[in-house]
PDB file of all heavy atoms in Angstrom:
ATOM      1  N   ILE A 297      -4.340  15.091 -10.069  1.00  0.00           N
ATOM      2  CA  ILE A 297      -3.657  16.061  -9.209  1.00  0.00           C
ATOM      3  C   ILE A 297      -4.427  17.383  -9.178  1.00  0.00           C
ATOM      4  O   ILE A 297      -4.586  17.994  -8.114  1.00  0.00           O
ATOM      5  CB  ILE A 297      -2.209  16.258  -9.693  1.00  0.00           C
ATOM      6  CG1 ILE A 297      -1.410  14.956  -9.497  1.00  0.00           C
ATOM      7  CG2 ILE A 297      -1.537  17.410  -8.954  1.00  0.00           C
ATOM      8  CD1 ILE A 297      -0.075  14.933 -10.181  1.00  0.00           C
ATOM      9  N   ASP A 298      -4.925  17.831 -10.332  1.00  0.00           N
ATOM     10  CA  ASP A 298      -5.714  19.075 -10.385  1.00  0.00           C
ATOM     11  C   ASP A 298      -6.920  18.984  -9.458  1.00  0.00           C
ATOM     12  O   ASP A 298      -7.172  19.884  -8.644  1.00  0.00           O
ATOM     13  CB  ASP A 298      -6.187  19.346 -11.815  1.00  0.00           C
ATOM     14  CG  ASP A 298      -5.054  19.704 -12.759  1.00  0.00           C
ATOM     15  OD1 ASP A 298      -3.953  20.018 -12.272  1.00  0.00           O
ATOM     16  OD2 ASP A 298      -5.283  19.649 -13.989  1.00  0.00           O
ATOM     17  N   ARG A 299      -7.700  17.925  -9.623  1.00  0.00           N
ATOM     18  CA  ARG A 299      -8.922  17.775  -8.833  1.00  0.00           C
ATOM     19  C   ARG A 299      -8.610  17.665  -7.344  1.00  0.00           C
ATOM     20  O   ARG A 299      -9.330  18.211  -6.499  1.00  0.00           O
ATOM     21  CB  ARG A 299      -9.677  16.528  -9.292  1.00  0.00           C
ATOM     22  CG  ARG A 299     -10.450  16.731 -10.573  1.00  0.00           C
ATOM     23  CD  ARG A 299     -11.668  17.594 -10.309  1.00  0.00           C
ATOM     24  NE  ARG A 299     -12.321  18.014 -11.538  1.00  0.00           N
ATOM     25  CZ  ARG A 299     -13.610  18.275 -11.630  1.00  0.00           C
ATOM     26  NH1 ARG A 299     -14.385  18.179 -10.578  1.00  0.00           N
ATOM     27  NH2 ARG A 299     -14.133  18.676 -12.773  1.00  0.00           N
ATOM     28  N   SER A 300      -7.546  16.932  -7.023  1.00  0.00           N
ATOM     29  CA  SER A 300      -7.184  16.752  -5.622  1.00  0.00           C
ATOM     30  C   SER A 300      -6.702  18.061  -5.012  1.00  0.00           C
ATOM     31  O   SER A 300      -7.032  18.374  -3.860  1.00  0.00           O
ATOM     32  CB  SER A 300      -6.103  15.669  -5.501  1.00  0.00           C
ATOM     33  OG  SER A 300      -6.565  14.441  -6.023  1.00  0.00           O
ATOM     34  N   SER A 301      -5.938  18.822  -5.781  1.00  0.00           N
ATOM     35  CA  SER A 301      -5.471  20.115  -5.287  1.00  0.00           C
ATOM     36  C   SER A 301      -6.635  21.065  -5.028  1.00  0.00           C
ATOM     37  O   SER A 301      -6.644  21.801  -4.037  1.00  0.00           O
ATOM     38  CB  SER A 301      -4.503  20.729  -6.306  1.00  0.00           C
ATOM     39  OG  SER A 301      -4.064  22.003  -5.887  1.00  0.00           O
ATOM     40  N   LEU A 302      -7.633  21.036  -5.901  1.00  0.00           N
ATOM     41  CA  LEU A 302      -8.819  21.861  -5.683  1.00  0.00           C
ATOM     42  C   LEU A 302      -9.525  21.500  -4.388  1.00  0.00           C
ATOM     43  O   LEU A 302     -10.166  22.344  -3.759  1.00  0.00           O
ATOM     44  CB  LEU A 302      -9.792  21.700  -6.858  1.00  0.00           C
ATOM     45  CG  LEU A 302      -9.415  22.411  -8.160  1.00  0.00           C
ATOM     46  CD1 LEU A 302     -10.297  21.915  -9.311  1.00  0.00           C
ATOM     47  CD2 LEU A 302      -9.537  23.924  -8.001  1.00  0.00           C
ATOM     48  N   ARG A 303      -9.425  20.235  -3.980  1.00  0.00           N
ATOM     49  CA  ARG A 303     -10.066  19.772  -2.747  1.00  0.00           C
ATOM     50  C   ARG A 303      -9.160  19.916  -1.524  1.00  0.00           C
ATOM     51  O   ARG A 303      -9.514  19.437  -0.451  1.00  0.00           O
ATOM     52  CB  ARG A 303     -10.486  18.310  -2.901  1.00  0.00           C
ATOM     53  CG  ARG A 303     -11.536  18.054  -3.977  1.00  0.00           C
ATOM     54  CD  ARG A 303     -12.847  18.749  -3.666  1.00  0.00           C
ATOM     55  NE  ARG A 303     -13.913  18.351  -4.570  1.00  0.00           N
ATOM     56  CZ  ARG A 303     -14.833  17.431  -4.272  1.00  0.00           C
ATOM     57  NH1 ARG A 303     -14.802  16.825  -3.113  1.00  0.00           N
ATOM     58  NH2 ARG A 303     -15.773  17.130  -5.144  1.00  0.00           N
ATOM     59  N   GLY A 304      -7.990  20.537  -1.679  1.00  0.00           N
ATOM     60  CA  GLY A 304      -7.156  20.822  -0.514  1.00  0.00           C
ATOM     61  C   GLY A 304      -5.911  19.966  -0.366  1.00  0.00           C
ATOM     62  O   GLY A 304      -5.165  20.137   0.606  1.00  0.00           O
ATOM     63  N   VAL A 305      -5.633  19.058  -1.284  1.00  0.00           N
ATOM     64  CA  VAL A 305      -4.440  18.225  -1.191  1.00  0.00           C
ATOM     65  C   VAL A 305      -3.206  19.083  -1.467  1.00  0.00           C
ATOM     66  O   VAL A 305      -3.152  19.817  -2.451  1.00  0.00           O
ATOM     67  CB  VAL A 305      -4.513  17.032  -2.171  1.00  0.00           C
ATOM     68  CG1 VAL A 305      -3.169  16.312  -2.262  1.00  0.00           C
ATOM     69  CG2 VAL A 305      -5.597  16.066  -1.738  1.00  0.00           C
ATOM     70  N   GLU A 306      -2.204  18.975  -0.594  1.00  0.00           N
ATOM     71  CA  GLU A 306      -0.989  19.782  -0.706  1.00  0.00           C
ATOM     72  C   GLU A 306       0.224  18.961  -1.120  1.00  0.00           C
ATOM     73  O   GLU A 306       1.231  19.524  -1.558  1.00  0.00           O
ATOM     74  CB  GLU A 306      -0.689  20.463   0.638  1.00  0.00           C
ATOM     75  CG  GLU A 306      -1.807  21.367   1.121  1.00  0.00           C
ATOM     76  CD  GLU A 306      -1.629  21.769   2.578  1.00  0.00           C
ATOM     77  OE1 GLU A 306      -0.657  21.294   3.204  1.00  0.00           O
ATOM     78  OE2 GLU A 306      -2.458  22.532   3.084  1.00  0.00           O
ATOM     79  N   SER A 307       0.153  17.646  -0.940  1.00  0.00           N
ATOM     80  CA  SER A 307       1.300  16.787  -1.243  1.00  0.00           C
ATOM     81  C   SER A 307       0.807  15.503  -1.879  1.00  0.00           C
ATOM     82  O   SER A 307      -0.124  14.868  -1.369  1.00  0.00           O
ATOM     83  CB  SER A 307       2.088  16.477   0.035  1.00  0.00           C
ATOM     84  OG  SER A 307       3.168  15.612  -0.239  1.00  0.00           O
ATOM     85  N   VAL A 308       1.424  15.139  -3.007  1.00  0.00           N
ATOM     86  CA  VAL A 308       1.075  13.907  -3.716  1.00  0.00           C
ATOM     87  C   VAL A 308       2.335  13.052  -3.834  1.00  0.00           C
ATOM     88  O   VAL A 308       3.354  13.517  -4.353  1.00  0.00           O
ATOM     89  CB  VAL A 308       0.510  14.199  -5.126  1.00  0.00           C
ATOM     90  CG1 VAL A 308       0.179  12.893  -5.847  1.00  0.00           C
ATOM     91  CG2 VAL A 308      -0.724  15.082  -5.030  1.00  0.00           C
ATOM     92  N   SER A 365      -5.654  24.966  -9.638  1.00  0.00           N
ATOM     93  CA  SER A 365      -6.126  25.349  -8.310  1.00  0.00           C
ATOM     94  C   SER A 365      -5.489  26.628  -7.783  1.00  0.00           C
ATOM     95  O   SER A 365      -5.959  27.186  -6.786  1.00  0.00           O
ATOM     96  CB  SER A 365      -5.845  24.214  -7.322  1.00  0.00           C
ATOM     97  OG  SER A 365      -4.436  24.009  -7.179  1.00  0.00           O
ATOM     98  N   ARG A 367      -2.726  26.731  -6.263  1.00  0.00           N
ATOM     99  CA  ARG A 367      -2.160  26.372  -4.965  1.00  0.00           C
ATOM    100  C   ARG A 367      -0.849  25.617  -5.169  1.00  0.00           C
ATOM    101  O   ARG A 367      -0.667  24.952  -6.169  1.00  0.00           O
ATOM    102  CB  ARG A 367      -3.135  25.466  -4.179  1.00  0.00           C
ATOM    103  CG  ARG A 367      -4.453  26.137  -3.817  1.00  0.00           C
ATOM    104  CD  ARG A 367      -5.391  25.127  -3.192  1.00  0.00           C
ATOM    105  NE  ARG A 367      -6.655  25.746  -2.795  1.00  0.00           N
ATOM    106  CZ  ARG A 367      -7.717  25.067  -2.372  1.00  0.00           C
ATOM    107  NH1 ARG A 367      -7.673  23.743  -2.297  1.00  0.00           N
ATOM    108  NH2 ARG A 367      -8.814  25.697  -2.016  1.00  0.00           N
ATOM    109  N   MET A 368       0.036  25.729  -4.181  1.00  0.00           N
ATOM    110  CA  MET A 368       1.296  25.000  -4.243  1.00  0.00           C
ATOM    111  C   MET A 368       1.046  23.515  -3.940  1.00  0.00           C
ATOM    112  O   MET A 368       0.296  23.177  -3.030  1.00  0.00           O
ATOM    113  CB  MET A 368       2.298  25.573  -3.251  1.00  0.00           C
ATOM    114  CG  MET A 368       2.718  26.997  -3.549  1.00  0.00           C
ATOM    115  SD  MET A 368       3.531  27.177  -5.170  1.00  0.00           S
ATOM    116  CE  MET A 368       5.030  26.247  -4.904  1.00  0.00           C
ATOM    117  N   VAL A 369       1.690  22.678  -4.733  1.00  0.00           N
ATOM    118  CA  VAL A 369       1.564  21.232  -4.546  1.00  0.00           C
ATOM    119  C   VAL A 369       2.964  20.620  -4.558  1.00  0.00           C
ATOM    120  O   VAL A 369       3.776  20.923  -5.447  1.00  0.00           O
ATOM    121  CB  VAL A 369       0.707  20.580  -5.655  1.00  0.00           C
ATOM    122  CG1 VAL A 369       0.608  19.085  -5.432  1.00  0.00           C
ATOM    123  CG2 VAL A 369      -0.674  21.195  -5.708  1.00  0.00           C
ATOM    124  N   CYS A 398       2.045  16.239   9.602  1.00  0.00           N
ATOM    125  CA  CYS A 398       1.290  17.490   9.411  1.00  0.00           C
ATOM    126  C   CYS A 398      -0.099  17.426  10.060  1.00  0.00           C
ATOM    127  O   CYS A 398      -0.924  18.316   9.842  1.00  0.00           O
ATOM    128  CB  CYS A 398       1.180  17.832   7.932  1.00  0.00           C
ATOM    129  SG  CYS A 398       0.083  16.767   6.974  1.00  0.00           S
ATOM    130  N   ASP A 400      -2.558  15.384   9.550  1.00  0.00           N
ATOM    131  CA  ASP A 400      -3.629  15.105   8.578  1.00  0.00           C
ATOM    132  C   ASP A 400      -4.267  13.756   8.898  1.00  0.00           C
ATOM    133  O   ASP A 400      -3.898  12.728   8.342  1.00  0.00           O
ATOM    134  CB  ASP A 400      -3.034  15.120   7.169  1.00  0.00           C
ATOM    135  CG  ASP A 400      -4.077  14.906   6.080  1.00  0.00           C
ATOM    136  OD1 ASP A 400      -5.272  15.012   6.382  1.00  0.00           O
ATOM    137  OD2 ASP A 400      -3.681  14.629   4.935  1.00  0.00           O
ATOM    138  N   GLY A 403      -6.473  12.353   5.726  1.00  0.00           N
ATOM    139  CA  GLY A 403      -5.924  12.254   4.378  1.00  0.00           C
ATOM    140  C   GLY A 403      -6.391  13.358   3.458  1.00  0.00           C
ATOM    141  O   GLY A 403      -6.429  13.175   2.239  1.00  0.00           O
ATOM    142  N   ASN A 404      -6.726  14.513   4.021  1.00  0.00           N
ATOM    143  CA  ASN A 404      -7.210  15.619   3.194  1.00  0.00           C
ATOM    144  C   ASN A 404      -6.079  16.425   2.561  1.00  0.00           C
ATOM    145  O   ASN A 404      -6.297  17.135   1.586  1.00  0.00           O
ATOM    146  CB  ASN A 404      -8.084  16.558   4.038  1.00  0.00           C
ATOM    147  CG  ASN A 404      -9.372  15.892   4.493  1.00  0.00           C
ATOM    148  OD1 ASN A 404      -9.986  15.157   3.731  1.00  0.00           O
ATOM    149  ND2 ASN A 404      -9.762  16.137   5.736  1.00  0.00           N
ATOM    150  N   ARG A 405      -4.881  16.323   3.118  1.00  0.00           N
ATOM    151  CA  ARG A 405      -3.773  17.166   2.649  1.00  0.00           C
ATOM    152  C   ARG A 405      -2.678  16.374   1.936  1.00  0.00           C
ATOM    153  O   ARG A 405      -1.941  16.938   1.131  1.00  0.00           O
ATOM    154  CB  ARG A 405      -3.178  17.925   3.839  1.00  0.00           C
ATOM    155  CG  ARG A 405      -4.157  18.884   4.494  1.00  0.00           C
ATOM    156  CD  ARG A 405      -3.642  19.385   5.838  1.00  0.00           C
ATOM    157  NE  ARG A 405      -2.373  20.096   5.697  1.00  0.00           N
ATOM    158  CZ  ARG A 405      -1.638  20.494   6.747  1.00  0.00           C
ATOM    159  NH1 ARG A 405      -2.044  20.228   7.977  1.00  0.00           N
ATOM    160  NH2 ARG A 405      -0.497  21.123   6.541  1.00  0.00           N
ATOM    161  N   VAL A 406      -2.531  15.100   2.270  1.00  0.00           N
ATOM    162  CA  VAL A 406      -1.483  14.264   1.666  1.00  0.00           C
ATOM    163  C   VAL A 406      -2.141  13.010   1.101  1.00  0.00           C
ATOM    164  O   VAL A 406      -2.962  12.376   1.768  1.00  0.00           O
ATOM    165  CB  VAL A 406      -0.409  13.869   2.704  1.00  0.00           C
ATOM    166  CG1 VAL A 406       0.702  13.076   2.037  1.00  0.00           C
ATOM    167  CG2 VAL A 406       0.161  15.111   3.396  1.00  0.00           C
ATOM    168  N   MET A 407      -1.792  12.660  -0.133  1.00  0.00           N
ATOM    169  CA  MET A 407      -2.383  11.483  -0.761  1.00  0.00           C
ATOM    170  C   MET A 407      -1.333  10.742  -1.577  1.00  0.00           C
ATOM    171  O   MET A 407      -0.254  11.263  -1.861  1.00  0.00           O
ATOM    172  CB  MET A 407      -3.550  11.868  -1.674  1.00  0.00           C
ATOM    173  CG  MET A 407      -3.141  12.665  -2.892  1.00  0.00           C
ATOM    174  SD  MET A 407      -4.484  12.949  -4.071  1.00  0.00           S
ATOM    175  CE  MET A 407      -4.708  11.307  -4.746  1.00  0.00           C
ATOM    176  N   ARG A 497     -12.064   9.479  -3.921  1.00  0.00           N
ATOM    177  CA  ARG A 497     -11.069   9.423  -2.848  1.00  0.00           C
ATOM    178  C   ARG A 497     -11.310  10.543  -1.843  1.00  0.00           C
ATOM    179  O   ARG A 497     -11.217  10.348  -0.638  1.00  0.00           O
ATOM    180  CB  ARG A 497      -9.678   9.521  -3.459  1.00  0.00           C
ATOM    181  CG  ARG A 497      -8.542   9.173  -2.491  1.00  0.00           C
ATOM    182  CD  ARG A 497      -7.852  10.421  -1.991  1.00  0.00           C
ATOM    183  NE  ARG A 497      -6.914  10.095  -0.937  1.00  0.00           N
ATOM    184  CZ  ARG A 497      -6.482  10.971  -0.057  1.00  0.00           C
ATOM    185  NH1 ARG A 497      -6.884  12.219  -0.106  1.00  0.00           N
ATOM    186  NH2 ARG A 497      -5.636  10.618   0.898  1.00  0.00           N
ATOM    187  N   ASN A 498     -11.643  11.717  -2.323  1.00  0.00           N
ATOM    188  CA  ASN A 498     -11.899  12.849  -1.441  1.00  0.00           C
ATOM    189  C   ASN A 498     -13.174  12.668  -0.630  1.00  0.00           C
ATOM    190  O   ASN A 498     -13.253  13.109   0.514  1.00  0.00           O
ATOM    191  CB  ASN A 498     -11.974  14.132  -2.268  1.00  0.00           C
ATOM    192  CG  ASN A 498     -12.227  15.361  -1.427  1.00  0.00           C
ATOM    193  OD1 ASN A 498     -13.369  15.769  -1.238  1.00  0.00           O
ATOM    194  ND2 ASN A 498     -11.169  15.959  -0.903  1.00  0.00           N
TER     195      ASN A 498
END
Side-chain angles (χ1 to χ4, degrees):
I297 294 168
D298 291 345
R299 282 287 170 151
S300 301
S301 178
L302 285 167
R303 297 297 189 99
V305 170
E306 301 167 357
S307 178
V308 179
S365 64
R367 296 174 178 172
M368 295 299 294
V369 180
C398 71
D400 183 14
N404 294 320
R405 297 167 60 188
V406 183
M407 67 173 289
R497 193 257 172 201
N498 180 267

